[in-house]
Amino acid sequence: MKRGRRTDSGDADPPQNGTSDDGMRVRDPEAGASNIDSQPDTNDEDDSAHRRDLRSRYRVLISSIQQNREDMLNNRDNKITEVLDEANTLFKEVHQAREAALDSQLLVVASDLGKEKASQLFSEGLSFDPSTFVQHTLSFMGLNWLEEEGESSDEGAATSHGSLPPNAWHRLARRAEACFRSTPAFHFMYGSFQAEPPPPKPRVERQRKAPTKEAKRIMPTQLKKMEESQQEATEKEVERILGYLQQYHAQDPTSPISYYEFVINPHSFSRTVENIFHTSFLVRDGLARMYLDDDKMPCIGPVEDGMAGDGKASVRKQCVISISLQGWRELRKDLDIQESMIQPPKSQTK
Amino acid sequence: MTQRKSSGKRTSTAVEEEEDDSRFTQPTTSQVQKGMEKLTKAQIDEKTTELVQYILMKDQKKIPVKRADIVKNVLKEYKNVFQEIMNRAQQRLEQVFGFKVVEIDAKNHVYILINKLEPAEGSEMISGNPKTGLLFVILSLVYMKGGVVPEALVWNTLKKMKVDLGERHPEFGDVKKLVTDEFVRQRYLEYTKVPHTEPVKYNFTWGQRAEVEVSKHKILQFLGELHSQDPQRWSQQYKDASSQRSSRAPQPSTSSQR
């Protein structure tokens, strides 16, 4: 039982709309489709042999377009039309998808060529075909054309077969560079210095931190005791001196204590300096105050509890007291200081 | 005292450039001269040297140099004498290195270096940067196809040479990036959008650097060799190449003659 066909005309030929000068043809898509749908009920073996033959003839046509591309482009003959005519004839016998695929491949190749031919119409002089250009360039670069049977490759119409040698692009570049007027890039002759910013600094800092950290770890265990004792020593001293000051003041609240008499130790200059140092803490902390008496001599006295509030509100003044060995001797003589008011500390930590 | 830009007058020769070096207005020639008088010869020489070195370093990657960058990085407080220092730098580059500074963008003041000398015979033995080969293919294609090609044509042509956009090329890596980014930044190519296309399509044209650096005549010659054709048969392109040749300054002697 035959399948009902759409077309009544019996033959499934695509209507020939005549070929134009460019060799393009128009197809009736419906006719083509119904052609493929139909199932031939001929002998299977005959059929496959026939189809193989069809396919090989298609491939011959495709390669003829590819091989003779330049000729077809540049000459004004009708070679391409002949190819297409032959393809039309072949197509009459196409029933299956596989052959039809080859037919469409042929169409792709042919129409690509046709497009190039069309572009020629608008430019004077010799036309320039990218595919031809590629072929020539690849040859220049040393392409190895491989021999291949038509059967094995069903793909890629205009892709080239074969492989390029590894320095192919170098070869091309060497010749092409002659077309450029470019400057040679500037590089330092002895390339020890890179034209790059110096490595980021954190690296150096981190390295430095590591050793000191370790060192610190060792140090505290030893020093802790000593440091504390030193700090304490200063505070102790200051407190001790405060004690002296209050004691002396208490003995005679009305008479002012001469500053120099207070701090100078007639037996030791260094102790005198220490006394001045410790006294300055007292003044800084607001525990003692200094003032000038009627003779314009500096005096020192403890700050009373009641005066503390005043002390904060009042304007603080700063001064720098210095004393030299000479000055110490003179003061000692002039003020006739025989004994120090501040006894040196008993324990010798220094 | 010093030349203040706000007080600078703009003569007809001064150029408007508000965009890139927006805070730099072109001083008049008399102002430049006054500025120069305030500098000692040593200062001028030092700045000229620095500028020469700066340009050479920038040329390593073939990225063009902008005037704004020069002013910011090299000249700094000497910016009002830019033109003078630039002239001296150009002179030095020409006389010492045989390099020519070309302003490829007069509006934005962008400069590149090209070689004053023609490539000497026999230099083909030496270098051979493969990127040049690729660039040659693209430039030839664009030139021979009338100066503008859709990007599809370029990608298809390259594919036939086993340079596929989709794959990482052993020599060139990311080809699309190389062509649309690096070559464009170097001003060898221009990659312009075609309006009203969906999805967006681009065209390739010759870039500003290619226009001054590449000899169309030599391209035609090489193409003629490849195709075993007389290049004159490409009459349209040949005419164009000849006019480029005559419009360029008379060719100086090649390095081999020196």
Side-chain angles (χ1 to χ4, degrees):
Chain A
M1 192 165 80
K2 276 195 183 179
R3 252 212 238 169
R5 294 191 197 177
R6 288 263 178 87
T7 57
D8 285 348
S9 51
D11 60 290
D13 285 346
Q16 299 281 359
N17 290 346
T19 53
S20 59
D21 281 346
D22 284 322
M24 305 303 276
R25 60 177 164 154
V26 178
R27 277 191 158 171
D28 182 1
E30 261 186 29
S34 62
N35 206 359
I36 295 171
D37 278 346
S38 64
Q39 294 285 339
D41 43 16
T42 51
N43 196 342
D44 266 352
E45 252 195 44
D46 280 343
D47 185 50
S48 55
H50 176 63
R51 281 165 57 208
R52 234 175 303 150
D53 177 58
L54 253 189
R55 289 201 296 274
S56 87
R57 279 156 71 187
Y58 263 120
R59 288 198 191 98
V60 164
L61 279 182
I62 291 173
S63 77
S64 82
I65 296 186
Q66 286 176 319
Q67 301 301 328
N68 302 324
R69 193 184 165 95
E70 266 190 83
D71 282 340
M72 290 187 181
L73 263 184
N74 297 332
N75 301 339
R76 293 187 142 274
D77 58 20
N78 275 339
K79 277 219 182 94
I80 188 167
T81 321
E82 291 167 17
V83 168
L84 285 170
D85 280 340
E86 208 189 312
N88 274 343
T89 324
L90 281 183
F91 190 70
K92 286 182 199 167
E93 301 169 49
V94 169
H95 302 293
Q96 300 260 344
R98 196 167 165 189
E99 288 77 50
L102 273 173
D103 181 78
S104 3
Q105 195 185 339
L106 176 64
L107 253 192
V108 167
V109 175
S111 51
D112 190 52
L113 187 64
K115 191 180 74 163
E116 276 303 317
K117 264 186 108 78
S119 72
Q120 280 180 22
L121 294 174
F122 298 106
S123 55
E124 63 172 69
L126 192 61
S127 69
F128 182 82
D129 174 40
S131 299
T132 324
F133 170 53
V134 164
Q135 279 177 21
H136 289 303
T137 310
L138 287 172
S139 300
F140 180 84
M141 287 158 75
L143 180 80
N144 307 311
W145 296 97
L146 294 178
E147 299 283 317
E148 279 181 69
E149 290 299 314
E151 187 76 56
S152 52
S153 73
D154 271 332
E155 49 101 316
T159 53
S160 52
H161 314 292
S163 57
L164 283 170
N167 63 339
W169 286 101
H170 287 85
R171 205 186 290 193
L172 178 64
R174 265 195 301 240
R175 175 62 182 86
E177 272 170 8
C179 308
F180 289 75
R181 285 203 299 173
S182 53
T183 59
F186 166 74
H187 294 291
F188 291 108
M189 242 167 66
Y190 300 104
S192 55
F193 293 111
Q194 298 237 349
E196 284 181 25
K201 288 231 163 136
R203 236 192 270 158
V204 181
E205 284 177 20
R206 263 185 253 136
Q207 282 175 5
R208 266 200 231 128
K209 275 189 181 165
T212 51
K213 251 194 176 169
E214 291 194 46
K216 265 192 178 163
R217 264 188 253 138
I218 308 169
M219 272 176 70
T221 53
Q222 287 178 3
L223 255 189
K224 249 190 183 165
K225 289 185 186 168
M226 280 185 71
E227 268 193 58
E228 272 178 31
S229 63
Q230 272 197 358
Q231 284 237 337
E232 279 193 7
T234 312
E235 283 177 21
K236 274 190 185 157
E237 277 302 299
V238 173
E239 275 177 36
R240 203 167 63 92
I241 288 173
L242 180 64
Y244 276 116
L245 188 63
Q246 286 169 333
Q247 191 186 341
Y248 286 123
H249 183 83
Q251 280 176 1
D252 193 356
T254 52
S255 96
I257 306 168
S258 162
Y259 176 73
Y260 285 119
E261 278 186 31
F262 185 61
V263 294
I264 286 180
N265 181 333
H267 304 295
S268 160
F269 174 65
S270 52
R271 292 264 180 245
T272 305
V273 175
E274 268 180 38
N275 294 337
I276 296 177
F277 175 62
H278 292 133
T279 321
S280 68
F281 277 91
L282 286 176
V283 177
R284 182 198 73 172
D285 293 339
L287 297 167
R289 65 185 184 96
M290 282 176 67
Y291 55 94
L292 295 178
D293 69 4
D294 299 327
D295 296 326
K296 302 282 184 212
M297 292 289 287
C299 297
I300 187 167
V303 169
E304 249 79 327
D305 280 335
M307 286 166 68
D310 269 340
K312 275 189 191 162
S314 67
V315 177
R316 283 176 166 225
K317 290 194 181 137
Q318 288 185 348
C319 70
V320 178
I321 297 175
S322 64
I323 190 167
S324 64
L325 200 57
Q326 181 74 5
W328 172 67
R329 289 201 191 107
E330 281 176 11
L331 278 167
R332 192 180 54 177
K333 196 176 80 174
D334 291 340
L335 297 175
D336 193 24
I337 301 173
Q338 302 290 342
E339 280 188 11
S340 64
M341 292 175 84
I342 301 172
Q343 298 302 316
K346 287 183 187 150
S347 59
Q348 303 277 341
T349 50
K350 295 192 186 123
Chain B
M1 270 214 297
T2 52
Q3 313 299 324
R4 280 282 131 218
K5 334 174 264 284
S6 50
S7 65
K9 294 177 219 154
R10 288 198 181 181
T11 63
S12 53
T13 56
V15 178
E16 265 82 25
E17 68 297 317
E18 298 303 310
E19 320 81 37
D20 272 351
D21 33 10
S22 53
R23 277 182 281 146
F24 179 67
T25 60
Q26 180 87 325
T28 60
T29 39
S30 59
Q31 278 183 323
V32 170
Q33 274 190 336
K34 280 199 197 146
M36 288 296 285
E37 282 163 23
K38 293 195 193 294
L39 302 173
T40 67
K41 183 166 191 309
Q43 285 172 315
I44 297 173
D45 275 343
E46 192 191 341
K47 279 301 163 185
T48 308
T49 310
E50 282 180 22
L51 182 54
V52 168
Q53 285 176 345
Y54 183 75
I55 293 177
L56 284 174
M57 294 303 287
K58 282 287 200 172
D59 182 58
Q60 273 182 0
K61 299 267 168 70
K62 300 282 176 222
I63 307 283
V65 185
K66 297 196 205 129
R67 179 164 86 175
D69 288 336
I70 292 177
V71 169
K72 187 172 83 162
N73 296 323
V74 180
L75 288 186
K76 298 180 208 178
E77 64 273 13
Y78 295 79
K79 58 182 178 212
N80 54 328
V81 292
F82 170 83
Q83 201 48 57
E84 262 299 315
I85 306 282
M86 188 58 167
N87 288 343
R88 282 155 199 262
Q90 277 179 294
Q91 246 181 17
R92 212 176 278 189
L93 284 164
E94 272 198 39
Q95 288 164 358
V96 176
F97 297 92
F99 292 170
K100 196 160 156 213
V101 177
V102 178
E103 188 172 27
I104 55 171
D105 185 344
K107 180 163 168 267
N108 295 321
H109 302 288
V110 178
Y111 304 92
I112 57 165
L113 271 187
I114 63 169
N115 210 330
K116 262 185 87 174
L117 310 166
E118 298 291 329
E121 295 296 318
S123 65
E124 296 128 32
M125 294 303 133
I126 312 169
S127 33
N129 179 1
K131 287 184 192 171
T132 313
L134 184 67
L135 185 59
F136 162 76
V137 170
I138 302 176
L139 285 177
S140 307
L141 189 63
V142 173
Y143 181 52
M144 298 304 282
K145 279 298 179 189
V148 189
V149 299
E151 58 176 332
L153 179 60
V154 174
W155 306 137
N156 285 341
T157 310
L158 289 182
K159 193 163 177 185
K160 293 173 191 170
M161 302 186 79
K162 304 201 188 297
V163 178
D164 198 335
L165 275 198
E167 301 164 357
R168 195 170 171 83
H169 193 267
E171 199 98 48
F172 302 121
D174 184 346
V175 177
K176 181 147 194 220
K177 183 156 182 244
L178 174 61
V179 175
T180 60
D181 186 37
E182 188 171 322
F183 285 161
V184 173
R185 260 188 301 129
Q186 293 173 334
R187 307 293 215 268
Y188 277 115
L189 291 175
E190 258 184 47
Y191 188 59
T192 42
K193 229 190 267 197
V194 180
H196 314 304
T197 50
E198 188 61 46
V200 183
K201 292 206 175 19
Y202 289 85
N203 282 340
F204 279 108
T205 50
W206 275 36
Q208 298 145 322
R209 182 188 283 268
E211 292 287 347
V212 293
E213 209 178 90
V214 182
S215 158
K216 291 176 177 163
H217 189 87
K218 296 216 168 104
I219 297 259
L220 275 178
Q221 246 180 358
F222 184 25
L223 288 175
E225 286 169 24
L226 281 177
H227 288 71
S228 311
Q229 290 274 16
D230 179 3
Q232 290 200 32
R233 286 192 69 189
W234 289 300
S235 46
Q236 207 173 23
Q237 290 89 348
Y238 193 81
K239 253 190 274 175
D240 180 59
S242 306
S243 70
Q244 184 202 51
R245 212 181 188 191
S246 53
S247 73
R248 282 187 180 171
Q251 304 300 337
S253 53
T254 62
S255 54
S256 54
Q257 288 179 17
R258 289 202 176 205

